[in-house]
Amino acid sequence: MKISQAHSLVQEMTNWRRHLHQYPETAFEEILTQEFVAARLKEFGLEVYEGLAKTGIVATLRNGEGGAIALRADMDALDMVEQSNVPHCSRHDGKMHGCGHDGHMAMLLGAAKYLSENKETFSGTVHFVFQPAEENQGGGRVMVEEGLFEKFPADAVFGMHNWPELPAGTMAMKPGPLMAACDAMEVRIKGVGCHGAMPHLGIDPVVVASELVLALQTISSRVVNPQDAVVVSITQINGGHTWNVIPQEVVLRGTIRSFDTGVQAKLEETINRITKGVCLTHGASYELDYIAGYPATVNDASQTEVAKRAALKVVGQNHVITDPTPSMGAEDFAYMLQAKPGCYVWLGTGGIPGGCLLHNPGFDFNDDVLHIGASYWVSLVEEILG
């Protein structure tokens, strides 16, 4: 039975989602969120473990002999001021569920309740993983490092994210990289400050920074293979305090995205080499801080095939996309996929209500797809453990 037929459960998921939306909490501070989610899971009769990665939850549903799988939803919100004007708007100033993690939790809760009441549909063990701190802080990595799969052994792990860019009710997956690796950089360019009217007496770090921004763009166009997707984006330039003084230094910050691990490994050296060359040309010095971030989210081929079969049973052949264009966004579910084979899928939400995309202050999760996501989780359990 599809969860859309269980009207009371659909309404419960909507209520849960809107409650969670009103009380968003950011990385490793998901205290109220943890309490709410854990309480529901205990009501369903699951074994509930709290405290992995500080605010994480793992709830286990066992039904006889068989394999074991893990299903993951993220819990954290963003440091953003909400502008959606929905009745269930954030009540925590400066924080909002702008990425739909409230919907992710509600769908996984819905699947947990349904399966707890219909255990005859599978044989084995399902771990429902509610992960904190997906946004920038790597809660997935922390859960793995703190023994997620040692404490809760699983043969495979699966994740799902809402995707406003896809039509509502579609699902997308593919083997190999689906989300990019994400690194960060800070370059501190040191020149010699002087009067803005006498630039020949100093070394202008603003000019050096300007040239460096352009030079770094040659990495994607001239350094790496054109078939290896790479993005180097300078997102901050900070320097100077007034209009007639050339500053001592300028700070550049930016993000670096890639899919191939070999390419990712070479990017720091390449950025350092280019920065050194530009600075030497002008007689400036520099300090480079390169911060390795999330690895690429790489789906296992066989588990992706399983996920496709599960999705087909829920949304049908015409609504399953098996060749989506990978996103340059990053996702710390990648760490779980490094530890276990699995698959990460996108659930289309159609960019409604409001037509807003992820991380937009007007974003709100599309409740009309809650039953689809929860049904996918159930279908996946039945496909693997049925």
Side-chain angles (χ1 to χ4, degrees):
M1 182 177 74
K2 288 185 178 181
I3 285 178
S4 59
Q5 297 171 288
H7 299 293
S8 62
L9 183 52
V10 172
Q11 187 58 56
E12 278 188 290
M13 287 192 291
T14 301
N15 293 341
W16 295 335
R17 205 283 297 179
R18 294 183 181 184
H19 171 86
L20 291 164
H21 190 89
Q22 291 180 80
Y23 302 100
E25 297 169 300
T26 48
F28 298 118
E29 298 176 349
E30 304 95 334
I31 305 301
L32 295 175
T33 304
Q34 180 189 49
E35 291 176 355
F36 180 87
V37 171
R40 303 290 81 71
L41 294 165
K42 291 173 184 176
E43 290 172 1
F44 308 156
L46 276 62
E47 304 168 24
V48 179
Y49 180 95
E50 300 174 62
L52 201 65
K54 190 175 180 179
T55 50
I57 303 168
V58 181
T60 300
L61 180 62
R62 305 181 196 276
N63 188 40
E65 299 297 322
I69 61 172
L71 313 179
R72 172 269 202 176
D74 33 20
M75 303 166 67
D76 57 324
L78 291 157
D79 288 305
M80 295 175 62
V81 176
E82 183 162 3
Q83 298 176 14
S84 68
N85 297 317
V86 294
H88 48 275
C89 190
S90 172
R91 297 185 181 182
H92 289 172
D93 291 342
K95 299 181 188 296
M96 73 167 288
H97 271 296
C99 201
H101 298 182
D102 49 345
H104 301 169
M105 289 183 282
M107 291 186 292
L108 193 56
L109 282 172
K113 181 172 184 180
Y114 181 88
L115 289 166
S116 71
E117 296 173 349
N118 298 271
K119 295 174 71 172
E120 72 279 359
T121 61
F122 75 98
S123 178
T125 300
V126 183
H127 301 298
F128 300 90
V129 180
F130 292 84
Q131 179 217 299
E134 186 276 327
E135 301 286 355
N136 301 316
Q137 299 300 314
R141 173 184 54 79
V142 178
M143 289 193 95
V144 171
E145 289 176 350
E146 291 188 4
L148 171 62
F149 296 117
E150 288 73 35
K151 292 180 172 70
F152 307 96
D155 303 314
V157 62
F158 297 88
M160 175 167 53
H161 204 292
N162 77 98
W163 212 248
E165 297 166 59
L166 295 177
T170 58
M171 298 195 72
M173 71 286 295
K174 65 173 293 182
L178 186 66
M179 306 283 286
C182 173
D183 298 333
M185 60 175 284
E186 177 181 282
V187 181
R188 191 171 297 273
I189 299 170
K190 300 181 179 182
V192 176
C194 63
H195 197 296
M198 307 171 191
H200 60 291
L201 299 179
I203 297 175
D204 191 344
V206 176
V207 171
V208 179
S210 300
E211 288 195 17
L212 181 58
V213 170
L214 296 176
L216 290 175
Q217 303 313 306
T218 64
I219 293 174
S220 59
S221 66
R222 291 295 181 271
V223 177
V224 302
N225 189 318
Q227 297 185 60
D228 292 326
V230 170
V231 170
V232 179
S233 290
I234 301 302
T235 56
Q236 295 182 46
I237 302 179
N238 299 304
H241 302 285
T242 189
W243 58 85
N244 62 346
V245 176
I246 290 174
Q248 284 279 106
E249 66 177 38
V250 170
V251 177
L252 303 181
R253 297 187 181 94
T255 186
I256 304 103
R257 308 294 172 115
S258 60
F259 291 111
D260 183 88
T261 54
V263 171
Q264 184 185 17
K266 296 177 181 178
L267 287 172
E268 180 178 3
E269 185 278 328
T270 301
I271 289 171
N272 186 66
R273 173 171 53 79
I274 292 173
T275 303
K276 181 178 181 180
V278 172
C279 287
L280 281 174
T281 298
H282 294 276
S285 60
Y286 73 98
E287 294 176 359
L288 170 64
D289 186 14
Y290 193 92
I291 305 102
Y294 296 171
T297 302
V298 182
N299 285 334
D300 176 80
S302 61
Q303 299 303 330
T304 301
E305 183 62 29
V306 172
K308 182 181 77 171
R309 293 199 300 268
L312 286 170
K313 292 177 180 178
V314 176
V315 298
Q317 183 73 44
N318 293 334
H319 295 89
V320 174
I321 302 167
T322 57
D323 59 346
T325 300
S327 171
M328 279 295 179
E331 165 62 65
D332 76 343
F333 186 68
Y335 294 105
M336 295 189 187
L337 288 175
Q338 287 185 332
K340 293 288 179 178
C343 181
Y344 185 77
V345 304
W346 292 335
L347 171 61
T349 55
I352 57 174
C356 292
L357 301 180
L358 302 176
H359 292 217
N360 183 289
F363 177 85
D364 188 35
F365 188 89
N366 182 1
D367 289 330
D368 290 341
V369 303
L370 286 170
H371 71 277
I372 298 174
S375 295
Y376 166 74
W377 286 134
V378 171
S379 179
L380 189 62
V381 170
E382 293 174 346
E383 182 69 31
I384 299 172
L385 302 178

